[in-house]
Amino acid sequence: MRSRVLATAGAVTLTLATLFSGGAAATTSAPSTSSAQSAQAASAKAAAAPDIPLANVKAHLTQFQTIATNNGGNRAHGRPGYRASLDYVKAKLDAAGYTTTIQSFTSSGATGYNLIADWPGGDPNQVLMSGSHLDSVSAGPGINDNGSGSAAVLEVALAVARENFQPTKHLRFGWWGAEELGLIGSNYYTNNLGATERAKIKGYVNYDMVGSPNPGYFAYDGDGSSGSGGPAGSAEIENTLRAYFTSINVPVRDTAFDGRSDYGGFIRYGIAAGGMFTGAEGIKSSAQAQLWGGTAGQAFDRCYHRSCDTSANINDTALDRHGDALAYAVWNLAGTGQPPGETVYTDDLETDKAWTANPSSSDTATAGRFERGAAQATSSSGTSLQLAAAGGSNSLVTGASAGTAAGTNDLDGGASSVQSGAITLPTGTLNLSFSWYLGHLNNASSADYVRVRVVGSSGSSTVLNTTGAASNRSASWQTATADISAYAGQTVRILVDAADASGASLVEAGIDNIKITKS
């Protein structure tokens, strides 16, 4: 990660749009803390992303350390250690079946290199890209900055090959040169793509420093909840990464798109971006130490841009979590579509399939109760709140009519629920998928939520549990999936509920396109 001085200059050139908020699932008033956390973990696991072995990621870091040691103590632009690092990564990818391309450029009188790796398959007009800078500063080996991000991205790319992952989108990975000199490599890449090729990249996930020894857990602020946000789609990337950390009960805080890393060249061209960061030379506060552990009053990385940024300068727990988080993001953002197999139930809400509002006669909401209807879009000062259906005309929505103002028919006064008719499931492996959104203004809190449960004779499972926060969250349709094979052979119902439980919050929620498949 480059210096603050360079970042300040780079950030001035960025014009960003404020878009949809990423929310994190959290405990609601209904389940206990332990059961809610279990449900969150199950929801994350349902995305079927593989575990990224920490040992594999650290093996790459060991190689980067050895390369630096054998080449003057660094892996900097224009030095032999950088090219040796690139050759190591390329050899791994070539052996795994990637199509790799080395892109050269000139900076500060030396030749630099980017490495681009494309996984065969997927829609070439819909590219999901992940990347990291591979160079270090000349002062040291750069194992956290940014061997950590480079190793995590490499191991996720290798996991794609091991799993023979074949998503709808085309997967591309990049390792950038000369980031420490001012994002030279990544800017060269985006500047030279051409408008048509740039338009094909639908998202870029950046990993720069994800193993800091005194770590924080920061997500780039794609939704603009604490700053200017990112281009359209950035909030979905943030929300996906946050969902993983929520599933393992690790709180995440925003970090700004401040121009310090390689997302800069992407967002400048309006490409959605996001990523994680564990902190650099900034000092961890007492509040942050209470949140994440570690040492208050000490830098997140005391060896930032120093010779001591070696393989000893890594927090294994943070590195392990971030490898798994990136895999989760890639698997979820890659557009895997509906699970393969026989469709055993589908409901696009266009016809009445016996949904019952307030099935337990326990709802407390005074307005904006769930109904099946044709929702009219609403917004407030640029924040989308209620959305038209994800497909067709109807959805399950908290008050379909827009009314005279955004807050006229929003969910008010408590909880509202709606339940499907009986669904008889066959035996076998079963997957549930559905579209959903939650939108709210900054008068919301974590007491507000949208939740989806599967209820059967053997109990119930929470497959979506997303809460509000005291920030503007622009609604955006997203897809959730869950393995519900535990209910095979049973008759179940799908129970949807939402709550404005924190007072005068402006909260809207919607569900659409429900499908259960057997494989």
Side-chain angles (χ1 to χ4, degrees), residues 380-398:
S380 175
S381 300
T383 300
S384 297
L385 294 167
Q386 181 162 287
L387 302 178
S393 299
N394 293 329
S395 60
L396 296 175
V397 60
T398 49

Side-chain angles (χ1 to χ4, degrees), residues 307-319:
S307 61
C308 58
D309 187 9
T310 66
S311 54
N313 190 47
I314 291 290
N315 182 286
D316 285 359
T317 299
L319 185 67

Side-chain angles (χ1 to χ4, degrees), residues 45-133:
K45 186 178 180 180
D51 177 74
I52 301 301
L54 174 63
N56 292 8
V57 181
K58 294 202 71 177
H60 302 316
L61 293 183
T62 297
Q63 290 298 317
F64 292 150
Q65 178 67 66
T66 299
I67 288 168
T69 300
N70 293 340
N71 290 278
N74 67 65
R75 302 180 302 104
H77 165 73
R79 307 290 180 87
Y82 178 77
R83 183 55 197 254
S85 297
L86 183 142
D87 289 343
Y88 168 77
V89 174
K90 184 178 185 298
K92 290 288 186 181
L93 296 165
D94 288 342
Y98 279 84
T99 300
T100 58
T101 303
I102 296 176
Q103 183 182 51
S104 63
F105 56 88
T106 300
S107 179
S108 300
T111 301
Y113 305 97
N114 295 326
L115 176 64
I116 310 300
D118 286 274
W119 179 239
D123 183 351
N125 295 311
Q126 302 279 328
V127 177
L128 175 66
M129 192 167 188
S130 304
S132 60
H133 77 87

Side-chain angles (χ1 to χ4, degrees), residues 331-518:
W331 258 253
N332 278 272
L333 294 169
T336 54
Q338 303 292 354
E342 173 191 357
T343 298
V344 298
Y345 175 85
T346 184
D347 191 354
D348 59 8
L349 285 308
E350 297 305 298
T351 59
D352 186 3
K353 292 191 175 181
W355 285 86
T356 302
N358 192 15
S360 300
S361 300
S362 59
D363 288 3
T364 55
T366 56
R369 292 189 175 190
F370 262 120
E371 61 178 309
R372 186 185 68 86
Q376 297 176 308
T378 66
S379 64
S380 175
S381 300
T383 300
S384 297
L385 294 167
Q386 181 162 287
L387 302 178
S393 299
N394 293 329
S395 60
L396 296 175
V397 60
T398 49
S401 176
T404 58
T408 301
N409 292 318
D410 72 306
L411 184 61
D412 279 325
S416 175
S417 60
V418 61
Q419 182 172 271
S420 74
I423 304 168
T424 301
L425 298 177
T427 57
T429 301
L430 302 172
N431 289 279
L432 166 67
S433 65
F434 55 90
S435 300
W436 68 277
Y437 71 80
L438 176 67
H440 56 70
L441 295 185
N442 58 12
N443 55 4
S445 79
S446 59
D448 306 322
Y449 63 86
V450 62
R451 182 172 55 191
V452 177
R453 286 175 283 176
V454 176
V455 182
S457 58
S458 62
S460 66
S461 296
T462 301
V463 295
L464 176 72
N465 184 16
T466 297
T467 62
S471 61
N472 293 337
R473 174 193 180 120
S474 197
S476 179
W477 283 111
Q478 301 174 70
T479 300
T481 62
D483 184 342
I484 59 169
S485 302
Y487 297 93
Q490 298 183 29
T491 296
V492 302
R493 298 177 189 269
I494 297 171
L495 177 62
V496 179
D497 61 337
D500 169 14
S502 59
S505 307
L506 203 165
V507 176
E508 298 279 15
I511 304 291
D512 204 353
N513 296 335
I514 302 162
K515 190 172 186 178
I516 300 173
T517 58
K518 174 184 175 180

Side-chain angles (χ1 to χ4, degrees), residues 194-207:
T196 300
E197 290 303 310
R198 283 195 296 264
K200 295 177 181 179
I201 302 177
K202 304 306 179 183
Y204 171 71
V205 184
N206 191 68
Y207 257 36

Side-chain angles (χ1 to χ4, degrees), residues 72-77 79 136-141 180 305-307:
N74 67 65
R75 302 180 302 104
H77 165 73
R79 307 290 180 87
S136 72
V137 293
S138 59
E180 298 291 2
H305 284 188
R306 297 173 60 192
S307 61

